[in-house]
Amino acid sequence: MAPAMGIIETHRHLLNRLLPEDKESGLSSLQGQFHHVVIGSEEVICFARSEAASERLPARAAVLRTLAELDLGFLTPRPLAQGGIPGTDEPPYLVLSRIPGAPLERDALDSPEVAETAAAQFTALLSGLNAAGKDARVRAALPQAPETQWQEFAACVRAELFPLMSDSGRKRAEGELAALDGLPPPASAVVHGDLGGENVLWKFSDGVLRLSGVIDWDEVTVGDPAEDLAAVGAGYGDTLLKRVLTLGDWDDEATAGRITAIRGTFALQQALYAQRDGDEEELADGLTCYR
């Protein structure tokens, strides 16, 4: 796969065809864990970073079509086209509608008014995902987190990642995995799976903050909303998380315990997915504290 910095140059001719209204100088690119993303004025092109990610593109498009049909109160990317012809030089790609907005900078939350608005809108977002998970049509269309989700995850980490860790790293990981033992079976919310700062887009309209959309639904499941709450805490800080928990009436001891346990596995999750996709860069980053 081409590096993110050169993805526009590498696929110049294809991008000229897919984004005819955009000048190359106006395009920007990002690198995520699974995709290189080229951002045009109205559309976004996602190039898979690995063979495994390429194989997941059709399923990703199907999930995005399901989400686009829901009234979640915010925008999600709509799949517009899919390409990549096996046996040719054309890479696998997905064309998506561009969601307006930008990630919220952490220092913006220094304003009490902005922080309160962000907390209220996160609460509405998560409440909408909770409600959507109870819709039989949604549950039929989205992947279901298995009841033994965390036990399976722990077993995979031990089998696939422990050989790559130092003795102290394995000890640290064992402590984090042990915290998963008491987690109950997954609940019935739609779970984004990576609700971090880069994937939630915001706009200021007349000085008022508005959540405009959520992108990167690669890890969506029907499961435990504590996963998304843990990501909010990791991405925006504990102060905002506590306010969201209060506003959503989720500030009970059991939920707090699930959030803490899940949040402790984020680096291991990154490393495990990277190991399976053959992504050495993301693997090394995820294992930084375990080597």
Side-chain angles (χ1 to χ4, degrees), residues 116-272:
E116 183 65 19
T117 300
Q121 296 199 34
F122 259 123
T123 303
L125 183 162
L126 292 163
S127 296
L129 294 180
N130 272 307
K134 296 174 174 58
D135 186 319
R137 295 169 299 173
V138 175
R139 295 175 66 82
L142 298 183
Q144 307 284 313
E147 289 195 4
T148 56
Q149 173 186 5
W150 296 112
Q151 292 84 351
E152 293 175 18
F153 171 76
C156 290
V157 167
R158 293 185 177 103
E160 300 177 46
L161 296 183
F162 271 27
L164 308 176
M165 298 179 183
S166 65
D167 289 343
S168 60
R170 283 190 287 272
K171 183 176 181 180
R172 172 181 177 144
E174 278 291 7
E176 293 163 347
L177 296 176
L180 301 175
D181 289 343
L183 293 184
S188 59
V190 173
V191 176
H192 178 277
D194 190 14
L195 207 61
E198 294 300 315
N199 293 330
V200 184
L201 305 182
W202 306 79
K203 293 180 70 176
F204 280 94
S205 179
D206 296 326
V208 178
L209 183 68
R210 293 283 183 269
L211 193 157
S212 58
V214 179
I215 60 175
D216 194 358
W217 292 83
D218 285 3
E219 300 174 49
V220 66
T221 60
V222 176
D224 187 349
E227 290 188 55
D228 281 343
L229 288 164
V232 171
Y236 294 87
D238 290 333
T239 299
L240 183 75
L241 174 61
K242 289 177 182 177
R243 186 57 180 151
V244 170
L245 293 175
T246 299
L247 291 174
D249 197 22
W250 302 312
D251 53 347
D252 56 277
E253 186 175 344
T255 300
R258 301 201 322 274
I259 291 170
T260 299
I262 293 168
R263 187 169 171 178
T265 69
F266 280 172
L268 293 174
Q269 290 185 48
Q270 175 184 327
L272 183 61

Side-chain angles (χ1 to χ4, degrees), residues 1-2 10-14 17 47 83-93:
M1 293 293 174
T10 299
H11 299 307
R12 174 180 291 123
H13 296 300
L14 177 58
R17 176 165 63 82
F47 295 101
I85 303 172
T88 73
D89 291 334
E90 185 173 280
Y93 65 84

